[in-house]
Each structure stands twice: as structure tokens, then as C-alpha cells.
Amino acid sequence: MRKNSIKNTRINGEVQRVLAEIIRGDLKDPRIGEVTSVVAVEVAPDLKTCKVWISVLGDEQVQKDTLAGLNSAEGFMKNQLARKLNLRNTPQIRFIMDQSIAYGVNMSKLIDDVQGKCERESL
């Protein structure tokens, strides 16, 4: 199976949907932030590993705690994933903190600051 095949893309979407449901509804770990979202999922073509990019609203400590909570619940999540999806193999899950949303917010703020400065100088 090619990396970007239609089947792999479909599996990525289904795994992302199921993991988001599990994080939102089934996990009771207090370390996991309330606003945690699954941004993207990349399942290897052999279905052995899975990279999950997550985004957490909060400061750096909340992000670290959420990542630790998700890593400790990896076995439970793998079990739930196997029950909800009929895949040949259930992949090992590796969580990666996605900083793109925070980066976008920061860039937007910088652009607004520069725009405001230009408007003040033109007056």
C-alpha cells in the first residue's frame, strides 16, 4: 500500500475520528486538558505505528501534563481503537504536540501589531 493511497487516507481519517471520540469521552485522566483536539493522524502503510498530532489550549505546563496523560493511556486507547475499528493490525500510538495553532495565533498577533503601528504612523 502506498503512503498516500486512498485506503491509507481513509484509515487516517477513521483513526483520527475514533481517537478524538476516545479522548473526548472515555478518558478520565485529570492531567488531560479539557480543550484537547486531534489535529492530524498518520498511520504507517503497514498499520504498525501511528503518529497523532494533538493541540491543547493552555500554557506549556498544561500541554506537558496532557501529553503525559495521553502517553500513559496509550494502552487503553489502543484497546478501544481495536474494538471500534476492524483493522488487520492495531497500531502503536505516538503522540506529538502540534504547535501550528499557537504559531498561527502568534503570527496573527504580530501582523496586527505591525498593522496598528503603520496606522498610527500614517495619522
Side-chain angles (χ1 to χ4, degrees):
M1 175 168 49
R2 293 185 329 259
K3 186 174 183 177
N4 293 326
S5 69
I6 294 172
K7 181 178 179 183
N8 197 316
T9 303
R10 196 173 326 129
I11 290 172
N12 290 344
E14 284 299 306
V15 170
Q16 180 177 356
R17 182 185 61 77
V18 171
L19 286 176
E21 288 175 3
I22 293 169
I23 290 171
R24 188 178 334 108
D26 297 342
L27 293 181
K28 304 297 184 213
D29 193 330
R31 294 177 291 180
I32 297 174
E34 291 183 21
V35 185
T36 301
S37 59
V38 178
V39 177
V41 171
E42 183 179 306
V43 179
D46 62 356
L47 303 177
K48 298 282 185 189
T49 61
C50 173
K51 294 179 185 176
V52 179
W53 283 270
I54 60 165
S55 177
V56 180
L57 185 64
D59 62 357
E60 199 169 312
Q61 186 60 41
V62 172
Q63 292 177 356
K64 286 180 182 177
D65 290 344
T66 298
L67 199 55
L70 289 173
N71 284 327
S72 70
E74 190 262 337
F76 171 77
M77 294 173 74
K78 183 177 177 181
N79 186 332
Q80 292 295 312
L81 193 63
R83 290 180 58 209
K84 294 181 180 185
L85 288 180
N86 186 18
L87 296 174
R88 181 177 61 231
N89 297 320
T90 304
Q92 287 293 116
I93 303 169
R94 192 173 120 223
F95 293 100
I96 302 168
M97 190 60 64
D98 183 38
Q99 301 294 338
S100 64
I101 294 175
Y103 179 77
V105 168
N106 187 33
M107 290 304 292
S108 179
K109 181 183 176 298
L110 291 174
I111 290 170
D112 290 344
D113 290 347
V114 169
Q115 219 173 19
K117 183 179 178 183
C118 289
E119 288 175 1
R120 285 192 301 271
E121 288 177 358
S122 66
L123 293 177

